Each structure stands twice: as C-alpha cells, then as structure tokens.
Amino acid sequence: PGSSKSLAKSIISHSINAGLCVDGNSITGCDNVYMQCYQCSQYTTSQGIVDLFNKTRTIQRESAAHSLACVVLDEVGLAEDSTNLPLKVLHSLLEDSATSEYSLKGPNVAFLGLSNWALDPAKMNRGIMVQLEDPTIDELTETALALIQPPGRAPDSYSENITPHIRSLSRAYLNLFNKQSTYVKKDYFGLRDFYYFIKMLYSLCHGYETPLNKRIMLHAIKRNFGGIVEMDVSDIFRECFTGLDDTKIGPLSTPTELIRVSIERHLSTYSYNGNLIFERSRYLLLLTENLVALDIISQSQIVSNKSKIIFGSSFPLDKESFNICHYINDIKRYMETGEVVILTNLSNLYESLYEIMNQSYYSLLGKYWVSIGIGSHRVECPVDPKFRLVVIADKNTVSDEFPPPLINRLEKHILTVSTLQTDNPIFEEIVNKLSNWINDFTTVDTQEGPIRYREDECFVGLQEDTTALVIYSTMSLLGFNCIDESNANKILEESKLRILRLATPDSILRLRKSRLNYESEFVFKNYFSFKLSSLTDYLMESFRIQPADTQSLNQSFITTRSSLLTTNDISELTNDLKEAMELSNVRFDFVIQNIFLNQFNTEKEFVSTIKSDIYSHRLDCNTKVIILIQCEEGNTNCDVISCAKFKIVEIVNELKRCVNSNFSFIFIVRLLVTEHKSRFAGFCGLEWDSVHIDELRQPHYNLLPPLNIAFNLTVAEVFDYKFPVMLGLGEENSFKKTRLQRCVQTVVSNSTTDRGPRRVELLSMIVSNPEYS
C-alpha cells in the first residue's frame, strides 16, 4: 500500500489524453483512453463486474478508431474476500475467445487491476503481472529527498538541515516495517506513513523557523506511527534523535494534543509567531475500546461540539447498497460545508471513501473536488478546505477486519480513558486502586489455593478500560474537571459504588470468603440499598428519587440473566408498581411501552417506533412514559445494541429541547453465561445508569426469598422460607415442592455429565415424598 499505483494510472491516462510523452518516449497508436473505474470491496458482485465490461465494450464500439476503452478494477484484492466469489467471472472475461455464460459480444477492451496483494494464479496468468517488491533503504532515501526538495526547486535551509538525517530515518522505518508483524498485521505502517512523516518534519521546521529538534521529531513520529500500545515506536527511531537539540520549540506530543492538532490543521494554514505553516494532515483513525471514544469526545474539548457523527446501522437489512448511498449523501453534504465528520460502525462504506482519504483533490472553478465511487458508479463532489474526517473503531475490529490499505491511509491514534490521562499520576493511582479492589473482590482463598473468578463473571460486561471509564465519568458526575489529592478518595469511593451496581448476586454472596471480606459489610449495605432485586424495586427507587411532579428524561441500561419480560409480565409489573406506589405514598400516572429490539430489521423502523410512542404521549406531561427496549443474546448483538443506544441518545437530546418531557428509556439486555469473555460492555458511561438485575421479576413470583434475606440463610432455610401473608400468596406455606419442581429444568440444562438423568430421578423422588405434598 502507498506505492503510487493509482498515481501511475492517472499519469499514464492524462499523458495519453494530452498527447504528452512518458519518460521521453512517445505513446503512439492511441489518441485517447477512457478508463472505466470500479471500486472493489467485499460487497462486489460478479454481475457488477460483468455490467462494467458490458458498458466499457459499448464505449469502445462507439469510440473513434484510435481510442481505447479500459476496465479498471481498483483494490481488486478486496473483492477476493467476498463470499460471493465475484472475481471468478474474470476467467472468461479476460479470454479473447471466451464462450462461457459471461462472455459478451463486442470488441475486446483493455483491463487493469490494482491490488495490494497477489490474486490466485488462475487470474494473474491471464494478464501481465507487474509486482513491486518492498522498498530498499536506497529507494526510501531517494524518495524522501525528493519530498523535501522537489526537482527544479532550489534547496532551502530547512531541507538542507533535514537531509543528513534522511538515511537514518529510512533505516529506522525499515526496521519498524519488519518488526510490526509481531504486534499487528503486515503493512499496518505502510509507505504512506513514511512519506507523510518526512513531509511533516519539513513543514514543522519551516513553520516554526527552527532546525530539526527532538520535540519536532517526537511529534512527527507519534503522529504518523501511532495506534500501537504494545510497541514504543519512538524507541525504534532512537538513533535518529542523535545530535538534535533538546529545545522547547515545536508542538506538544500528549495524546489529546496529537489528536486536537491533527483535526485543527488541515488544508489551510496555521500560524506560529506570525508565520503561516502549511500542513496537509491525513484524516484520523481513532482506535478505542467499545467505542468509548464517542463518550470521551462528547465530554471533552478534543473535537468541536459542532462535529457531525454518523453511526452506521447494524440492523439486518441496513447493509444493503441503498443504505450505503444514504450515508454517502450525508458525507457529501458535510464535505461541502466544511464540517468535522465522525464515522463509526461503517466498515461496508470505507472502501468507497479511499479517494477522500487520499485527499486526491483537484481544483476547478475555484473549488476543491474529489471523486467518490460505489462499484462502477462515481460522482464528483465539492470539498471545503475545512472538512475533516475521523473514523472511530474498536481496536480489535481494526486488527481483525480492517484491510491494510484502509489503515495506512489514516493517521492512527489510541483514544481511551487511560491514554487520555497518561500524564496524570493521581488518576493512574486511583485506577490501580480500583483494579486491586476488583481483584480482591473476585478472588476467593480456599485450602487448595486461591480461586480467581473472571472479572466479567462478577461484574457484568467489565472490559479492560471499564475501571478508567468509571472513574472518568464519576469525575464528571461529581462536577470535578480534574482529579487531584483533594478529591481522589471521594472519586474512588463513588467509583466503587458505581461499579458495584454491575455485580452479580452470586459474587455478592461469595464476598465473605473473598479477599475483600474486610469490606463485606460495607458492600452488603450499599449493594442492597440499590434495590436491584427486581425491576419493580429498581423503578420504585427511581420514582422516590424524583418527585412525582417533576418532568425528566432518564436512560437506564440493565443487564439480566433471567428471561425477558412477556406481555403478562408487563401487566404484573404495572400492578406491582401501582401497589408499591400506594404503600410508599408516591402518586402519579405512568404507562409502560414494551418493544423488542430483535423484531426490527432496519434502524428506520426502530426509530419510527420509538418516536411514535413518544408522539402519542407528548402532550400528557403529567404521565411518566416508561419505554422498555428488550434484547436477547446481548453477547452476539453488541453492534445492534450500540447502534440502538446511540439513536436513543439522539432522541433524548431532541426531547431536551422540548418543554414537556417525562420519559424513561430502559434498555434491558439478556446475557447468557459463556465460558469465554465477551466484548459486550455492561458500563455505558455517564449518559446511562448501568446496572445488573439478575432476576427481573419480583422474588415471590419465583417463590424465593429476597436476596438481602437469602444471603444469611442456609440452603435448607431457603426452602423453608415463609412469605408474609400480605403478599397474598395464601397461608404461611413453605412451597417446598413447588420450589424443587422449578429447579429441575435448571439442573438438567446446566448438567454437562451423565449425572443429569440421575439428578432428575433424585428430585422426582424427593417431591413425591408425602412430607412435601
């Protein structure tokens, strides 16, 4: 990637059409060439390629005698990853005497395929293959010298100052190029990264009017070779710092400053001491965890609040080409007005934006223009110089799914809460303390040795960066702009309480035998005060916190291990809430709207349904509208859930502008117990109240005592527990038989041995005992 294949194609095409020479040799026998380009991707179809050949042959037939029509498949290697196997049609289309079903009548046309890796031999031996090997240090040095001192331009003091360092920089890049496969895929850092690195060194030295120094060198390295936490790239370039001055002239290289500067410095110029610095920065790829970068951007000043976010839909039918065209139209509009556009969850679109990412702009009628391609369809779009593009993606998605040509077109940076607070030792200390607290919480000491439970087993959806995100959002919740010695302890204790809301009941019951037993009473007291024994208790607690006559907008994200609520369950929930409200002297009207996320095929259907529920109650501000959004199998529906949450936040922001808004959006996600850690995130940042309610229904519906009572009972005492008469369950009855019968299905489903049938026999024998009748 980055070896100027597309540039070579354009030079040849323009030279032929202009009647010029290439390398001093005339191109004869051809007056014009018409290149029909097709942007390949994993969604390329064989019919699309056949239609392109058909169109090109029609152009050839209608053209002048000395004109040439040529089919160009750009990034043809990406189409090989398609499950449709679209490139098989090339076997017949590239043969002069093809007789297959794909053969087309008409004159033969030229063919050009551009790829970043070799195709299978059956395709390559049907044409002339031109292969470019990895560059040598001499080739890199020659190219780098031409970048800072183009032929025909007199050298200046800045290029002369950088020239002695070019060879060592080329050597360091080759070293990095060879080492990168240990941590990431090959070509993660391509030639584009090196070329932009050299050009940035020159533009920074020129703009700051200073010889190359360590500060400028470090900034350029981190800007162009970022995105990998496991490898210290600046250490590979260590020899390049030799002999450089250690001055403070130049930009800072903190994580936030690197991102901010890259967004602010675009096609136009910026000033230093009255001098204008011209820097054509690449667009950004922000690698994050569970898209937490969106929360960081919304809370910080890294990106303008006026930036436009386009969150791609993961609903089943939204990956069709029609929806891709819809997103491209939005991008075109923002390009023309010069907005900062943030793209996420749009993997099926990025290949169409390669020309934009290359910044292959041309000037016409006083404007910049660029070509956008979807298959064989291309459109010319105006671009405002202030336009900036930011792609946000999960770092695991980038390493597993993003092709190298996409990755090295962009300037890469890690953006997580941890990297955001890299220079804050107190923040790091608090993160370590909270991590140690979680470690003690999840470790149980036994006579055989310590047993360590998975963190996401004890705290649902806990991910690598969750502890830092909890602390960061707690700072905002408490109104602190930064963390220091005066507020560190308060933030830590509040963060413990927030993460405790994600705890599973079994982890709470194990606490007295864990390494955190010294805090067990503190944890019990606070955990049971959260009222998480059922959805009814949780809602009642929120009703008590907010007076009945207040109008509010709430967002809750609830995970559960129980089955989702049915229509009958919703009726029972409504009745339970009314009874509890009467006992607590809480009086106001409410209505519950229940929808299932899995029932929607498109994002538009989902949003329309939500807005329809809102519209039907928009005038009744005295009625609390609770909208339940339930989703099965959260482990496998992470992308759809993220998309739905983003749309809910957008709707809430719209409602905040209204005078009368009294809605609660409650997202309920059912999670299955898995042997391996999932990428599902249970904590959703500041905008959502994230909790885990293991059983949504009231305890007495399952004939089990509440957890705050059960955790002090033995197993025998649990079965003998008597419910209060006030619950209306009849006489004081232990319900032993019913409880045991309800355990049968769970025991069998959890059994992975031959003892399953035997356990059923034992339970059947027990419940048939007259003592339990």
Side-chain angles (χ1 to χ4, degrees):
S3 56
S4 304
K5 300 180 294 297
S6 299
L7 178 61
K9 177 205 72 176
S10 299
I11 290 174
I12 294 294
S13 174
H14 293 162
S15 298
I16 293 175
N17 291 336
L20 302 177
C21 298
V22 178
D23 292 336
N25 299 316
S26 298
I27 300 178
T28 58
C30 181
D31 294 333
N32 291 289
V33 60
Y34 302 100
M35 291 193 173
Q36 301 302 305
C37 296
Y38 189 101
Q39 180 64 54
C40 294
S41 70
Q42 56 181 317
Y43 302 100
T44 297
T45 63
S46 56
Q47 188 59 49
I49 295 176
V50 171
D51 291 343
L52 179 66
F53 268 83
N54 193 11
K55 176 183 177 182
T56 309
R57 288 182 173 180
T58 300
I59 293 174
Q60 180 68 71
R61 184 187 302 111
E62 297 175 355
S63 300
H66 296 289
S67 296
L68 176 67
C70 178
V71 172
V72 179
L73 297 186
D74 203 355
E75 297 292 351
V76 63
L78 296 177
E80 253 198 348
D81 293 336
S82 173
T83 55
N84 301 320
L85 301 177
L87 298 186
K88 289 190 70 173
V89 298
L90 291 179
H91 295 180
S92 58
L93 292 174
L94 297 181
E95 295 287 348
D96 291 341
S97 57
T99 57
S100 75
E101 58 178 309
Y102 295 112
S103 299
L104 302 172
K105 295 181 180 180
N108 291 327
V109 294
F111 173 80
L112 175 63
L114 304 178
S115 176
N116 285 298
W117 49 82
L119 308 182
D120 70 83
K123 300 176 183 64
M124 291 194 299
N125 62 20
R126 284 176 163 82
I128 300 173
M129 185 184 73
V130 179
Q131 181 172 322
L132 184 65
E133 301 295 333
D134 291 339
T136 65
I137 187 171
D138 291 332
E139 291 171 335
L140 286 175
T141 301
E142 183 180 355
T143 305
L145 288 172
L147 289 173
I148 63 173
Q149 188 178 319
R153 193 185 76 183
D156 56 27
S157 59
Y158 306 108
S159 61
E160 291 177 344
N161 174 255
I162 297 174
T163 297
H165 301 276
I166 291 296
R167 192 164 186 86
S168 64
L169 293 172
S170 302
R171 187 186 303 110
Y173 168 73
L174 281 180
N175 189 14
L176 170 63
F177 184 82
N178 295 325
K179 283 185 176 181
Q180 64 180 327
S181 57
T182 306
Y183 305 95
V184 288
K185 62 180 67 175
K186 190 179 185 298
D187 290 326
Y188 185 91
F189 294 124
L191 289 172
R192 286 187 181 88
D193 297 287
F194 177 70
Y195 295 154
Y196 274 94
F197 168 61
I198 296 297
K199 290 192 287 186
M200 187 175 292
L201 288 176
Y202 176 80
S203 65
L204 290 175
C205 290
H206 189 277
Y208 283 94
E209 292 187 336
T210 181
L212 184 60
N213 59 49
K214 291 183 179 180
R215 189 165 180 170
I216 287 177
M217 177 71 77
L218 180 63
H219 183 85
I221 290 172
K222 288 185 175 292
R223 285 276 300 277
N224 294 281
F225 302 111
I228 303 180
V229 176
E230 299 81 5
M231 181 170 60
D232 185 4
V233 177
S234 59
D235 186 60
I236 296 176
F237 282 83
R238 185 176 58 252
E239 68 166 308
C240 303
F241 287 86
T242 304
L244 297 181
D245 292 336
D246 192 8
T247 66
K248 294 185 178 180
I249 300 177
L252 297 174
S253 297
T254 61
T256 53
E257 187 67 12
L258 291 170
I259 297 171
R260 187 189 64 79
V261 167
S262 181
I263 292 175
E264 289 182 356
R265 300 177 182 178
H266 36 71
L267 290 177
S268 61
T269 55
Y270 60 98
S271 176
Y272 173 75
N273 284 348
N275 299 313
L276 294 179
I277 304 175
F278 182 86
E279 180 185 326
R280 187 189 289 267
S281 299
R282 287 184 292 174
Y283 298 141
L284 268 69
L285 170 60
L286 300 182
L287 295 90
T288 186
E289 295 177 356
N290 298 298
L291 303 182
V292 71
L294 286 175
D295 293 322
I296 295 174
I297 287 173
S298 65
Q299 296 178 39
S300 65
Q301 301 298 319
I302 299 177
V303 181
S304 169
N305 293 331
K306 297 181 180 180
S307 59
K308 308 297 182 181
I309 300 177
I310 302 178
F311 197 114
S313 171
S314 294
F315 285 86
L317 299 185
D318 278 343
K319 295 184 178 180
E320 305 295 329
S321 58
F322 173 81
N323 213 47
I324 296 175
C325 294
H326 171 72
Y327 292 131
I328 287 183
N329 283 333
D330 289 341
I331 295 172
K332 285 169 53 181
R333 186 170 67 254
Y334 298 142
M335 280 197 306
E336 189 170 4
T337 56
E339 309 286 351
V340 176
V341 178
I342 299 174
L343 306 180
T344 188
N345 200 38
L346 285 166
S347 298
N348 55 343
L349 170 67
Y350 297 139
E351 286 90 351
S352 299
L353 306 179
Y354 276 3
E355 290 298 301
I356 298 176
M357 295 175 182
N358 289 342
Q359 300 187 39
S360 301
Y361 305 146
Y362 60 91
S363 180
L364 180 66
L365 301 176
K367 290 185 178 181
Y368 285 111
W369 297 78
V370 69
S371 176
I372 300 179
I374 309 176
S376 60
H377 305 286
R378 305 192 75 82
V379 60
E380 305 302 315
C381 309
V383 185
D384 188 280
K386 295 180 181 179
F387 168 73
R388 296 296 287 164
L389 186 70
V390 180
V391 176
I392 294 179
D394 186 274
K395 61 182 183 182
N396 293 324
T397 302
V398 172
S399 61
D400 296 338
E401 300 177 14
F402 278 28
L406 169 60
I407 295 174
N408 58 50
R409 274 178 165 85
L410 301 167
E411 186 177 308
K412 298 163 282 291
H413 296 284
I414 298 287
L415 182 57
T416 62
V417 176
S418 299
T419 57
L420 198 66
Q421 300 288 336
T422 301
D423 298 327
N424 190 339
I426 298 179
F427 185 91
E428 293 182 11
E429 180 184 352
I430 297 301
V431 170
N432 291 333
K433 285 183 178 180
L434 184 57
S435 298
N436 292 335
W437 184 83
I438 293 172
N439 183 67
D440 290 344
F441 192 108
T442 56
T443 305
V444 176
D445 288 320
T446 65
Q447 293 180 348
E448 291 78 18
I451 298 176
R452 177 74 191 281
Y453 291 87
R454 281 204 333 254
E455 291 181 350
D456 64 314
E457 286 180 314
C458 300
F459 300 99
V460 176
L462 193 73
Q463 299 295 330
E464 183 179 342
D465 200 44
T466 300
T467 51
L469 178 59
V470 168
I471 294 171
Y472 183 72
S473 60
T474 301
M475 289 168 52
S476 300
L477 187 68
L478 297 178
F480 297 124
N481 294 324
C482 63
I483 187 169
D484 51 39
E485 294 181 355
S486 64
N487 58 27
N489 191 59
K490 184 176 182 179
I491 292 173
L492 174 61
E493 293 306 312
E494 184 64 29
S495 297
K496 289 179 182 179
L497 297 181
R498 296 192 72 196
I499 210 165
L500 190 60
R501 295 169 73 85
L502 301 176
T504 58
D506 55 304
S507 69
I508 296 294
L509 296 180
R510 283 195 302 266
L511 201 59
R512 284 174 175 164
K513 295 185 178 181
S514 75
R515 290 181 178 176
L516 200 70
N517 55 7
Y518 59 90
E519 277 194 26
S520 59
E521 297 307 318
F522 165 81
V523 171
F524 291 151
K525 177 183 176 182
N526 285 281
Y527 178 78
F528 293 123
S529 72
F530 297 150
K531 307 297 183 183
L532 302 179
S533 59
S534 68
L535 182 58
T536 301
D537 290 345
Y538 173 76
L539 290 175
M540 274 304 302
E541 186 65 16
S542 67
F543 291 165
R544 292 190 190 99
I545 293 173
Q546 293 177 341
D549 57 349
T550 60
Q551 297 169 15
S552 60
L553 290 165
N554 307 106
Q555 299 158 239
S556 300
F557 188 79
I558 300 173
T559 56
T560 185
R561 302 291 190 195
S562 71
S563 58
L564 298 180
L565 300 177
T566 63
T567 303
N568 289 336
D569 292 328
I570 298 297
S571 298
E572 292 175 350
L573 173 64
T574 303
N575 293 332
D576 288 343
L577 282 173
K578 289 180 178 178
E579 292 177 5
M581 289 168 66
E582 185 174 348
L583 291 173
S584 302
N585 199 27
V586 176
R587 303 183 184 279
F588 62 90
D589 294 329
F590 69 91
V591 62
I592 299 177
Q593 302 285 356
N594 181 42
I595 62 175
F596 288 90
L597 188 63
N598 306 82
Q599 78 187 55
F600 300 104
N601 289 317
T602 66
E603 178 189 283
K604 184 178 180 180
E605 290 177 8
F606 171 71
V607 174
S608 297
T609 301
I610 296 291
K611 289 188 174 181
S612 175
D613 291 339
I614 293 173
Y615 183 82
S616 62
H617 297 92
R618 76 191 192 286
L619 298 178
D620 189 3
C621 58
N622 295 319
T623 299
K624 182 77 170 179
V625 182
I626 302 171
I627 300 179
L628 295 183
I629 306 160
Q630 302 190 81
C631 179
E632 285 277 7
E633 300 181 11
N635 297 319
T636 57
N637 288 309
C638 295
D639 292 336
V640 178
I641 292 171
S642 297
C643 175
K645 286 194 309 182
F646 180 79
K647 302 311 293 185
I648 291 296
V649 172
E650 281 192 337
I651 292 171
V652 168
N653 290 334
E654 291 177 9
L655 289 173
K656 286 179 179 177
R657 304 187 193 102
C658 302
V659 177
N660 300 322
S661 296
N662 200 358
F663 296 89
S664 287
F665 297 91
I666 300 179
F667 222 115
I668 301 177
V669 179
R670 185 184 181 221
L671 295 174
L672 301 177
V673 179
T674 59
E675 295 183 3
H676 304 288
K677 186 172 182 177
S678 165
R679 67 186 183 94
F680 176 86
F683 185 78
C684 304
L686 187 63
E687 295 177 320
W688 297 84
D689 181 25
S690 305
V691 300
H692 176 73
I693 302 177
D694 209 64
E695 173 56 64
L696 297 173
R697 297 156 187 82
Q698 286 278 61
H700 62 262
Y701 286 121
N702 293 316
L703 302 180
L704 294 173
L707 184 63
N708 60 334
I709 297 175
F711 90 103
N712 279 320
L713 303 178
T714 64
V715 174
E717 290 171 338
V718 168
F719 281 100
D720 282 332
Y721 177 75
K722 296 178 176 59
F723 286 97
V725 178
M726 61 177 291
L727 290 177
L729 298 176
E731 299 295 328
E732 290 189 356
N733 195 331
S734 61
F735 301 103
K736 295 179 183 178
K737 181 176 180 179
T738 307
R739 286 175 182 144
L740 286 172
Q741 287 175 333
R742 292 190 177 187
C743 292
V744 174
Q745 184 177 1
T746 303
V747 170
V748 175
S749 63
N750 289 337
S751 178
T752 57
T753 66
D754 296 335
R755 280 189 54 81
R758 177 58 179 159
R759 287 173 176 172
V760 175
E761 293 176 6
L762 291 172
L763 282 172
S764 300
M765 183 175 62
I766 292 173
V767 297
S768 63
N769 192 310
E771 181 183 350
Y772 295 95
S773 60

